[in-house]
Amino acid sequence: LTAAAVAGPPGGGRRACGRPDYALPVGGAPDTAGAETVLDQARVQVLLHTRSAGLAPALDGVFPGVEDQEGLSAAAARALQMGFGGMLCIHPAQVPVIHAAFAPDPAELAWARRVVDAHRDKAAGTFMLDGKMVDAPVITRARRVLAQAGEASAG
């Protein structure tokens, strides 16, 4: 209920969305589709308010299944797709799974390079690439993918 206030002014590090911390007070049954639906509402609020406050992308909460690497990988991929900048973890075995999920895959990295290279070669701000329109938000996303992979992108 206070996501905007919690996002607050920049500083103090990244914000995170705690799954168990949220599920318990609202009375949701843990690890159910219904609880995930309710939790997603809070997750979206955290994402929107942290970004609108100019903060780094929020971190998604922990995945409780320490030995469920497939489930963790799926949860991390979904968190990335939602716009989270990473995930909290509760066991060292989760770190490589989360890192792998948040790393750009080779196809996405190749796409980002093509977008940035084509943008560098075009005079117009909007152009076509691979049959799709590329404009400022697409270029920004491509640059973020390159930054996530540790690659610099010019202009």
Side-chain angles (χ1 to χ4, degrees), residues 4 7 11 14 33 42 45 57 64-65 67 76 86 98 108 122 124 130 139 146 154:
R14 281 194 168 172
Q45 291 302 310
E67 296 180 5
I98 292 170
E108 184 179 33
K122 306 281 183 192
D130 300 335
I139 295 163
L146 293 177

Side-chain angles (χ1 to χ4, degrees), residues 6-146:
V6 170
R14 281 194 168 172
R15 306 314 191 260
C17 184
R19 292 169 178 249
D21 301 331
Y22 184 78
L24 183 63
V26 299
D31 303 324
T32 64
E36 281 298 312
T37 299
V38 172
L39 180 59
D40 280 348
Q41 301 303 310
R43 293 165 85 203
V44 167
Q45 291 302 310
V46 169
L47 288 167
L48 291 174
H49 288 293
T50 55
R51 297 307 284 175
S52 69
L55 302 174
L59 302 176
D60 195 15
V62 299
F63 182 81
V66 173
E67 296 180 5
D68 181 5
Q69 295 203 348
E70 186 176 310
L72 173 60
S73 182
R78 185 165 185 265
L80 174 65
Q81 293 164 0
M82 289 180 76
F84 284 97
M87 281 183 77
L88 302 175
C89 56
I90 55 174
H91 192 276
Q94 294 179 318
V95 173
V97 176
I98 292 170
H99 281 189
F102 277 84
D105 68 24
E108 184 179 33
L109 198 50
W111 166 83
R113 289 179 189 129
R114 285 196 327 276
V115 168
V116 171
D117 289 346
H119 178 249
R120 208 175 288 127
D121 295 339
K122 306 281 183 192
T126 302
F127 57 94
M128 297 293 290
L129 181 68
D130 300 335
K132 295 181 180 178
M133 181 186 80
V134 176
D135 59 359
V138 176
I139 295 163
T140 299
R141 180 172 173 267
R143 287 186 179 133
R144 283 184 185 159
V145 168
L146 293 177

